[in-house]
Amino acid sequence: MRKSFASRAGRKPGPAAMLSPVPSPPAPAGAEAGLAGAAFDPGVQTEAGAGDIAAPAPIGPPGPLRVVVVSHMHPRVSRGGAEIAAYQMYQTLRAMPDVRAWFVAASGGKVSAPLGAAVFQPFGPDEFVLGDAAYDHWSHSANNGNLAKEFRLLLTELRPDIIHFHHFANIGVEALLHIRQVLPNARIIVTLHEFLAICNHFGQMVKRPSLELCEESSARSCAKCFPERSENDFFLRKLYLRRFLDLADHLIAPSQFLADRYVDWGFDAARLSVIENGQPPLLGAPAPMPDPATLTIGFFGQLSTLKGVGVLLDAAAELRRRPPKRRPVRLEIHGDASNQPPVLREEIERRLEASRSVVAFRGTYDNRKVHALMQGCHAVLVPSIWWENSPLVIQEAFAARRPVITSDIGGMAEKVRHGVDGFHFQARSGLALADLLRDLAERPERLDALQQTLSVPPTLEQTVRATREVYEIGRPAAWAPQHGQPLGGLSADRQQEVKGVAATPVPARQRPAGV
Amino acid sequence: MSDIVSEPVRDAGLRQLHIGAGDMLAFTFSNIAIKRGDSVNFVRNDDVVLHIKIRSEESELVINSFIGGVWGKEEKIPVATDDGNSNVSIEVFIHGNGIRISAAAEPVLRIEDRFAILGDISLFIQPSISMRHAGRLDLEAEDPASPRQAPGVDGPETASEIGYIDSFSYIPSFGGIILFGWVRAPWDDVHRSVVTAVFEDGEVAGIPLTAWHKRSDLGDIGTGYVMFVPGAMPGADGAPVLHRLRLAPAQGGPLHIVPSPGVGPSTELQAVQMLRDTLQRAFSGDTAELQALLKRPIYLGVDTLTPLGLPIHVEVDEVIEVRPGAAFLFGWMLDTQDLVTSVHLCCCASSSRPLADARLALERNDIVEAYAKQYGITDSRAGFIAFADTGSAKRGPFFLEVRLATGKIVFKPLPPPSRAGVAAIRRVLGATLIPADEVQRVFDTFGPPILDLNRRRLARPMEVSVATFGTPPASPRCSLVIPLYGRLDFLRYQLALFSAGGLEQDEILYVLDEPARKGLLLDMAHSAHASFQVPFRIILPAENRGFGPASNLGMQHAQGRYVCFLNSDVFPERTDFFDTLVRALEADPGLGVVGGLLLFADSSVQHASMDYEALPQFGDWLFPTHPGKGRLLPAGTAGLIPSPAITGACMLLARDLAMELGGFDPDYVIGDFEDADLCDRIVRRGLRCAVDSRARAYHLERQSQGDSANAWRHNVTLLNAWTFNRRLGAARDAGRVLAREPGR
């Protein structure tokens, strides 16, 4: 089944208005790339027909829909995928005539608050930064009581109908309670970007210290990763997080894989939708493939262990040792290892030097030029050794009309259909990657053929419209706690609850083979 | 009476004498004696107790002793010998415990604690030396330490003042105060009532022992007395200031004996010496009883065991005072030759039973290593912990009395008591793991004093403050009383869950049982309140007192109709948890206390009821058990589960009942068994206990109690088990039995 960019987790794809399959090209055009390019594009064509995503009716009393988009960081100081997605959504919303939008970001230690200020505005009149939260990364809890008070005041001031969280890190899950208490009628939407609630290992779901892939969290297995914590500690952590995350009216996952993991963790599938992050459309016509004399594969992003730098270098060594016969392979690295530990940096530098004949190190890049850089390659490589959710780089590659060569696990395998959007290789195997690249060098037509089937990423407009549908999904008539409701989501009928998921129709999970 | 002849002794050889205090002997060394170096020797057994000679070449009088075959240190005073051409006369004045010696106009040499020739003694004297009895001196008149002259010929100034105090001294080994002075007339038995010595810092009262003696300086205006008033000195260090002695005759008002002008305390030694001398001259009174005091070996604050050089080691490293006169001792002892008959703890005038009666051997490998070669010992249990009670109600310095097989009694000073409160209890209970077969004996011995330590710490006044966050309900339905210890962060987790609702009518009372972390907790509380907006209070006692007392403190601050004792690691599953419990109690007047169904994190049962099981390895003591623990709740379980008792981790009962019962019995140290005890007391009132399976909560048991795998934790559980079973035993003896459900 063709995956949609927007679907309700645990449900079969619904009405076309909400669950439009994403077609092949033509790619949308007309808006600028980057943060400033998130303009509304009425010309989006979909398989179901242009304009079939109707603007939802406004919520509440007449007047613009008042939306606060909350992000764990401001993209002015951090260029991660989640904050970029959040900000693009904010800009797209505010461009809509029936929406009044604000952006609230946690400082995350990267923006200094003016002396004595808890909520401040260094980036513009509708953008707010929350100061030091005294954040506890264990329970994702904000312990600064003064900030809580100021956040409540801000909510009172803005009176949003919708508060849409992208991530809850740096803000604290208690923020959901603040909203419930101050604005009982407001709707809370949370877009999940990682497995942060499920996994204390930076939400990566890889075991510590081995970095083995983790299939399922549990208090017992998590305590093995963190022997300094007890199983009961992990039980409490989950109880605490669920207490607040359950206050969300609806949750959004950018990938089915992420959604499935949260359903496994205990979230009601009916409260989860899958909506892919949107992409600003490319300007102009797609660039042609580069010189075929050399198979050029691009890597974009941080050179880190989890991003698969070791796999890349293993493959490079193998290709150097046994190069393809028909034409050479060149791996171009855009990014750096500046945030990595010195030992890893030295190791990377040493191995890069040894593989100079195969690997070219291009250094950091301006994200606004990412599409052009990608179009200088025949394909984009995403060799991460963790599950990933919906890596921005995959959507960027699709936007640049370049296929993706990626690990056959998790969000990567979901987003890149083998033989359709790119190719999979056995995750964590440099040898398998080298074999694949060697074969692609020998048979260039395999990559060329993908131009006909390659996904088109949803536009920001499409993503926002799908998200606005989620804003409309019903929630309990009144929030006021009903006596007898579970306190922390782990009700006495926990097992039944989990079984209850099974009782609700859940689509066959399209996990790729090999996961 | 002395039988010393007054004639010069001219024949050499031994003479048997009896010398009394106050006797004065005069010796005249002839020039021949001086030239030959002849000497005077008082001999007892094989020892020369006093040796006197004159060295002409140094022109000095030499005094020494020859004890145990060894000469002692020479004492010297200069004398004029005229190159041996003249005789030299000297005078020796005998004190109770020494002598005073002078030669002609030379300075007087006074020597204490040596040359004690009082009593029966042999005198060896050469013919070149003559001796005469120079008479008997009135000690009071002659001795600088003697009572002062009567202050006035007219006697005491007021009618109620019947005499004077000339000197006094507190003598620990006597366990009381010795006073000297005079009164106008001796009193008869009608005055043998309590005498109170009124000091600046307090009073010492007791039935006195009194002896009367004539004083030449008084003539017929009064009679000298020596009086012993038993009791401990009030006040701390420093010279005591005595105001008066108050007598309470059977008829009339009190009579007083007042201090002479400038009177102050004398030394113990002076007082003992004066008592000995005075009793020699006493004509009536309690002379026999006072003589008995003198026969007691006197502890003078020094170690008299070690100087003996015997292969005996009795060392005490630490003393923990349980109450005045009673203490735990931690130490070690080696006596490979069985030279020690018994060792006793002493305080004031009292001594305990032998330490061996209440002693537990401890491993001391350091002692074995240090003395294995010297004594060939292999048993590492040289250490001991002992409890000893002297019976003294007064506080005084503790010391050890070591009774040797030879009949000799020696003393060992002890370090002053150090730890108290929980630290003391931890020290005692953490000393060793007790073998299973000894628990009954050990706790029958050590249990009561440990409980005394616990009661003493709890009896201390304690400051308590209260911090309020938000506005709790004015007339709450239920008061949740939640002690916090160790994992203070549970407060945040609990309040986060409580913020979901269900507690609008109830008040939440946390009790910090770890006062050192008050600042941290208050910071956390402010943050939690800002985050969740749930009102609560924190009771902040100044001391850590354990689960039961902390819960009781919370109960005293509670205002609800019901009180729910709750652990901080209990997390209700639903918002109607407390509603369910209250409903259960209100629906059944026969139900005294109800608890929640407590689950482990994996949803298996942590607590669904509590029963008791006799453990043969612990003297068949009953221990609480939790049926079904670790198992999934049996299918079909519904509603109330009747139970002999329920856990204190979550128990809800009417506050009136809780108050009436005094909450948890604080005799249970730190936290164990107090819940079973409270339930038992509820059951004895004809009420029942139950767990309501509809009220479910997670209980992350033992999270707040830390590591239990140590002697202290193990033994505190045993102590509480011992207390619980003793109570049950008492109840059984009174015809009551532990309530059990039918069929159990």
Side-chain angles (χ1 to χ4, degrees):
Chain A
M1 187 181 74
R2 182 75 170 83
K3 289 296 290 185
S4 64
F5 74 87
S7 64
R8 292 282 291 282
R11 290 185 180 179
K12 291 181 178 175
M18 179 179 160
L19 304 168
S20 304
V22 179
S24 293
E32 288 182 9
L35 296 178
F40 174 67
D41 175 16
V44 165
Q45 297 293 311
T46 69
E47 202 170 68
D52 62 351
I53 303 176
I59 298 167
L65 181 69
R66 303 170 72 85
V67 182
V68 167
V69 176
V70 183
S71 172
H72 72 303
M73 223 57 115
H74 197 288
R76 290 279 192 96
V77 293
S78 173
R79 301 288 300 167
E83 50 268 40
I84 289 173
Y87 198 78
Q88 288 175 336
M89 174 167 285
Y90 155 68
Q91 289 200 310
T92 306
L93 281 165
R94 70 185 272 120
M96 293 179 167
D98 58 343
V99 174
R100 176 84 170 92
W102 295 270
F103 190 70
V104 174
S107 66
K110 297 207 171 183
V111 193
S112 298
L115 189 62
V119 177
F120 52 106
Q121 293 180 277
F123 303 126
D126 290 336
E127 299 180 18
F128 302 87
V129 175
L130 307 178
D132 177 23
Y135 196 73
D136 176 5
H137 287 271
W138 158 254
S139 56
H140 296 289
S141 171
N143 289 277
N144 183 343
N146 187 46
L147 184 64
K149 184 178 129 198
E150 294 293 326
F151 182 60
R152 287 166 189 269
L153 287 174
L154 179 65
L155 293 169
T156 312
E157 180 187 331
L158 302 182
R159 291 177 294 104
D161 304 303
I162 303 290
I163 296 97
H164 187 158
F165 286 84
H166 278 264
H167 240 315
F168 44 79
N170 296 339
I171 301 154
V173 288
E174 302 86 353
L176 279 72
L177 178 63
H178 303 329
I179 297 163
R180 279 282 172 257
Q181 291 176 339
V182 174
L183 303 170
N185 295 318
R187 295 184 179 190
I188 303 173
I189 311 298
V190 177
T191 293
L192 304 160
H193 285 277
E194 282 162 348
F195 310 100
L196 213 54
I198 303 174
C199 174
N200 188 48
H201 194 191
F202 307 110
Q204 309 281 307
M205 292 204 77
V206 290
K207 293 188 182 292
R208 200 178 76 146
S210 67
L211 301 184
E212 283 176 65
L213 288 167
C214 176
E215 298 286 344
E216 187 179 19
S217 78
S218 71
R220 190 174 295 111
S221 65
C222 292
K224 283 181 185 165
C225 279
F226 293 86
E228 66 274 24
R229 301 274 188 178
S230 69
E231 290 182 30
N232 280 340
D233 286 335
F234 278 96
F235 175 78
L236 257 187
R237 176 183 184 273
K238 183 172 181 179
L239 210 58
Y240 191 84
L241 292 171
R242 288 293 306 274
R243 158 75 186 105
F244 298 106
L245 292 178
D246 281 356
L247 295 175
D249 293 294
H250 208 82
L251 300 124
I252 294 171
S255 71
Q256 184 69 43
F257 183 81
L258 188 79
D260 289 345
R261 284 292 167 102
Y262 272 98
V263 170
D264 289 345
W265 193 59
F267 278 165
D268 181 358
R271 291 176 59 231
L272 256 168
S273 293
V274 177
I275 302 178
E276 179 55 273
N277 296 319
Q279 284 295 305
L282 276 184
L283 290 174
M289 282 288 184
D291 182 0
T294 298
L295 177 64
T296 305
I297 306 296
F299 173 93
F300 294 81
Q302 273 285 319
L303 284 173
S304 71
T305 301
L306 287 173
K307 287 290 182 186
V309 65
V311 176
L312 184 154
L313 291 170
D314 287 348
E318 173 63 15
L319 288 169
R320 187 167 57 86
R321 197 168 59 82
R322 204 156 62 84
K325 293 182 177 122
R326 185 168 168 184
R327 57 175 177 164
V329 173
R330 184 161 190 80
L331 299 173
E332 294 203 341
I333 294 177
H334 299 269
D336 67 5
S338 57
N339 291 337
Q340 303 306 307
V343 174
L344 181 63
R345 282 210 306 267
E346 287 169 17
E347 167 80 0
I348 291 170
E349 283 166 16
R350 186 183 60 74
R351 296 192 66 188
L352 281 173
E353 183 62 26
S355 301
R356 277 172 61 189
S357 59
V358 177
V359 181
F361 182 68
R362 303 294 187 207
T364 55
Y365 60 96
D366 182 344
N367 191 257
R368 286 171 297 185
K369 297 178 181 169
V370 67
H371 293 133
L373 292 171
M374 286 177 166
Q375 285 170 342
C377 307
H378 293 97
V380 172
L381 175 63
V382 183
S384 296
I385 65 166
W386 75 287
W387 302 104
E388 294 278 11
N389 165 29
S390 175
L392 181 63
V393 68
I394 291 179
Q395 302 305 321
E396 288 172 336
F398 290 164
R401 308 312 300 153
R402 289 296 176 266
V404 176
I405 294 166
T406 191
S407 307
D408 60 352
I409 55 171
M412 297 172 287
E414 175 190 328
K415 298 297 176 186
V416 179
R417 295 164 298 172
H418 185 65
V420 179
D421 304 314
F423 295 104
H424 296 171
F425 66 92
Q426 185 187 346
R428 300 171 168 234
S429 170
L431 200 61
L433 174 59
D435 285 346
L436 174 62
L437 294 177
R438 204 181 286 113
D439 185 68
L440 294 175
E442 303 292 355
R443 297 193 291 157
E445 65 279 9
R446 290 184 72 196
L447 275 176
D448 295 341
L450 299 183
Q451 285 298 319
Q452 304 307 310
T453 57
L454 197 57
S455 276
V456 174
T459 64
L460 294 169
E461 179 73 15
Q462 287 172 314
T463 293
V464 168
R465 286 187 177 277
T467 302
R468 288 190 63 179
E469 284 193 29
V470 166
Y471 294 169
E472 293 297 320
I473 293 173
R475 63 182 178 84
W479 173 80
Q482 304 299 303
H483 276 201
Q485 74 180 46
L487 282 172
L490 297 178
S491 74
D493 308 315
R494 204 159 57 118
Q495 291 179 326
Q496 292 171 12
E497 184 185 318
V498 174
K499 285 174 187 165
V501 172
T504 306
V506 175
R509 292 183 185 166
Q510 300 192 346
R511 288 183 179 165
V515 175
Chain B
M1 276 299 280
S2 170
D3 61 354
I4 294 175
V5 294
S6 59
E7 294 297 323
V9 177
R10 300 193 181 281
D11 52 333
L14 282 170
R15 299 198 62 168
Q16 298 301 319
L17 306 176
H18 182 87
I19 297 177
D23 283 330
M24 185 180 287
L25 306 176
F27 296 93
T28 302
F29 287 74
S30 66
N31 54 357
I32 295 171
I34 295 169
K35 283 180 180 170
R36 290 202 318 215
D38 289 343
S39 59
V40 174
N41 295 280
F42 289 89
V43 179
R44 186 174 280 135
N45 300 325
D46 293 328
D47 296 330
V48 180
V49 180
L50 175 60
H51 165 85
I52 306 169
K53 69 184 287 186
I54 291 172
R55 286 193 187 131
S56 61
E57 59 274 26
E58 278 95 13
S59 296
E60 59 188 12
L61 176 69
V62 179
I63 310 138
N64 206 340
S65 59
F66 187 74
I67 309 288
V70 180
W71 284 106
K73 178 174 175 278
E74 287 186 349
E75 304 285 355
K76 300 169 187 175
I77 54 174
V79 292
T81 57
D82 191 23
D83 292 325
N85 296 319
S86 303
N87 296 344
V88 173
S89 293
I90 64 168
E91 287 180 348
V92 178
F93 172 70
I94 290 86
H95 291 267
N97 205 28
I99 60 170
R100 206 171 63 193
I101 190 163
S102 63
E106 297 300 331
V108 174
L109 174 66
R110 181 181 177 128
I111 302 163
E112 308 281 4
D113 273 330
R114 196 176 171 195
F115 311 123
I117 58 174
L118 271 182
D120 296 326
I121 199 160
S122 304
L123 172 66
F124 181 79
I125 188 170
Q126 272 113 342
S128 56
I129 303 169
S130 65
M131 184 197 82
R132 67 185 173 85
H133 186 215
R136 302 200 63 203
L137 283 186
D138 184 330
L139 289 173
E140 290 89 343
E142 287 292 319
D143 196 319
S146 70
R148 286 159 176 74
Q149 292 291 322
V153 294
D154 294 335
E157 295 170 358
T158 67
S160 69
E161 291 175 356
I162 60 168
Y164 287 94
I165 304 160
D166 290 333
S167 73
F168 65 94
S169 180
Y170 173 68
I171 303 180
S173 58
F174 289 3
I177 304 161
I178 290 284
L179 303 106
F180 300 91
W182 66 275
V183 291
R184 280 191 295 235
W187 53 74
D188 55 22
D189 282 352
V190 78
H191 289 109
R192 290 293 296 272
S193 55
V194 169
V195 167
T196 304
V198 182
F199 287 89
E200 180 90 18
D201 296 330
E203 297 183 346
V204 178
I207 303 290
L209 300 173
T210 313
W212 307 103
H213 63 104
K214 288 289 182 191
R215 275 177 50 171
S216 57
D217 59 321
L218 295 173
D220 59 359
I221 65 163
T223 302
Y225 70 85
V226 56
M227 184 189 296
F228 170 72
V229 179
M233 282 295 283
D237 298 335
V241 177
L242 178 59
H243 288 327
R244 63 185 60 242
L245 280 177
R246 186 173 65 235
L247 287 72
Q251 294 181 340
L255 302 173
H256 297 100
I257 301 176
V258 297
S260 300
V263 70
S266 56
T267 67
E268 279 180 59
L269 193 62
Q270 287 169 340
V272 169
Q273 187 173 303
M274 284 171 57
L275 173 62
R276 187 174 286 121
D277 294 348
T278 304
L279 290 177
Q280 294 282 337
R281 291 175 284 110
F283 62 82
S284 70
D286 306 313
T287 49
E289 290 89 340
L290 288 167
Q291 285 287 3
L293 278 181
L294 283 172
K295 286 178 183 168
R296 281 189 195 175
I298 302 169
Y299 170 65
L300 297 173
V302 295
D303 177 358
T304 55
L305 170 61
T306 307
L308 297 179
L310 298 172
I312 301 169
H313 301 271
V314 183
E315 302 295 341
V316 170
D317 306 318
E318 183 171 357
V319 176
I320 289 177
E321 185 187 72
V322 173
R323 56 179 175 272
F328 281 106
L329 307 178
F330 294 81
W332 58 278
M333 181 171 167
L334 289 178
D335 174 26
T336 54
Q337 305 295 313
D338 291 333
L339 301 177
V340 175
T341 306
S342 61
V343 181
H344 306 257
L345 178 70
C346 300
C347 177
C348 300
S350 308
S351 62
S352 72
R353 295 181 56 77
L355 295 192
D357 288 1
R359 181 177 179 276
L360 179 64
L362 302 180
E363 298 272 333
R364 284 293 295 263
N365 289 318
D366 57 330
I367 302 303
V368 175
E369 285 170 18
Y371 291 98
K373 195 171 176 184
Q374 186 175 348
Y375 297 124
I377 54 172
T378 54
D379 186 356
S380 61
R381 295 178 307 157
F384 67 83
I385 171 175
F387 171 70
D389 186 355
T390 66
S392 169
K394 301 289 182 181
R395 177 167 289 135
F398 287 114
F399 57 96
L400 286 185
E401 180 182 293
V402 182
R403 298 180 186 170
L404 303 179
T406 59
K408 193 174 178 70
I409 292 176
V410 289
F411 301 105
K412 291 280 288 186
L414 293 181
S418 48
R419 292 175 229 229
V422 172
I425 297 171
R426 285 185 79 111
R427 177 75 174 99
V428 175
L429 289 176
T432 186
L433 283 168
I434 300 160
D437 62 330
E438 291 188 41
V439 292
Q440 187 74 52
R441 177 189 71 80
V442 168
F443 280 100
D444 282 348
T445 304
F446 292 160
I450 297 173
L451 292 189
D452 282 350
L453 279 175
N454 193 44
R455 287 171 189 159
R456 195 172 162 193
R457 89 182 166 96
L458 295 177
R460 282 202 303 260
M462 178 177 66
E463 281 187 22
V464 177
S465 58
V466 179
T468 302
F469 299 84
T471 308
S475 302
R477 171 188 64 171
C478 178
S479 302
L480 277 57
V481 172
I482 310 167
L484 282 168
Y485 181 84
R487 291 289 300 269
L488 305 187
D489 59 325
F490 285 158
L491 168 136
R492 185 173 183 89
Y493 289 106
Q494 251 183 356
L495 289 174
L497 298 181
F498 290 160
S499 71
L503 293 170
E504 291 76 11
Q505 306 175 66
D506 306 320
E507 65 170 351
I508 302 167
L509 299 172
Y510 284 99
V511 184
L512 177 63
D513 198 25
E514 203 175 358
R517 299 173 74 197
K518 180 168 83 169
L520 173 65
L521 179 67
L522 289 177
D523 286 347
M524 293 169 77
H526 280 292
S527 169
H529 182 251
S531 292
F532 314 131
Q533 305 282 297
V534 175
F536 62 98
R537 284 190 284 162
I538 303 183
I539 317 296
L540 298 158
E543 290 178 19
N544 160 246
R545 296 206 156 179
F547 173 78
S551 297
N552 291 350
L553 185 61
M555 175 183 73
Q556 285 154 15
H557 284 79
Q559 297 173 336
R561 296 198 306 283
Y562 300 97
V563 62
C564 181
F565 296 117
L566 194 70
N567 280 12
S568 60
D569 55 1
V570 169
F571 303 95
E573 199 178 62
R574 298 161 67 93
T575 51
D576 60 355
F577 181 82
F578 297 103
D579 295 348
T580 305
L581 294 180
V582 169
R583 270 200 305 270
L585 212 55
E586 289 180 340
D588 183 352
L591 193 60
V593 60
V594 64
L597 172 64
L598 303 185
L599 307 170
F600 285 118
D602 64 0
S603 293
S604 63
V605 168
Q606 190 273 326
H607 171 81
S609 65
M610 187 192 283
D611 205 342
Y612 303 99
E613 181 186 4
L615 298 185
Q617 65 268 38
F618 296 123
D620 272 337
W621 290 350
L622 291 178
F623 279 71
T625 60
H626 298 267
K629 190 169 190 170
R631 306 290 297 275
L632 293 174
L633 194 67
T637 307
L640 288 182
I641 305 170
S643 178
I646 61 172
T647 176
C650 173
M651 52 165 60
L652 188 140
L653 66 164
R655 184 164 64 94
D656 287 348
L657 176 62
M659 293 289 283
E660 209 176 310
L661 292 169
F664 293 115
D665 187 329
D667 267 358
Y668 295 93
V669 177
I670 304 303
D672 247 339
F673 286 85
E674 63 278 272
D675 46 7
D677 177 278
L678 179 57
C679 289
D680 189 48
R681 286 184 284 141
I682 290 170
V683 167
R684 283 187 224 161
R685 291 188 161 228
L687 299 169
R688 287 176 288 107
C689 313
V691 165
D692 193 330
S693 64
R694 294 161 295 199
R696 298 158 59 105
Y698 294 101
H699 183 202
L700 309 184
E701 194 186 19
R702 291 290 176 190
Q703 281 284 298
S704 61
Q705 301 236 356
D707 178 22
S708 62
N710 56 50
W712 144 249
R713 286 297 311 170
H714 179 77
N715 288 337
V716 83
T717 300
L718 289 179
L719 171 73
N720 291 331
W722 170 81
T723 302
F724 180 64
N725 282 268
R726 209 164 57 132
R727 299 269 164 85
L728 290 182
R732 267 196 298 271
D733 294 344
R736 296 185 297 263
V737 294
L738 192 66
R740 285 179 176 246
E741 287 302 309
R744 283 183 181 271

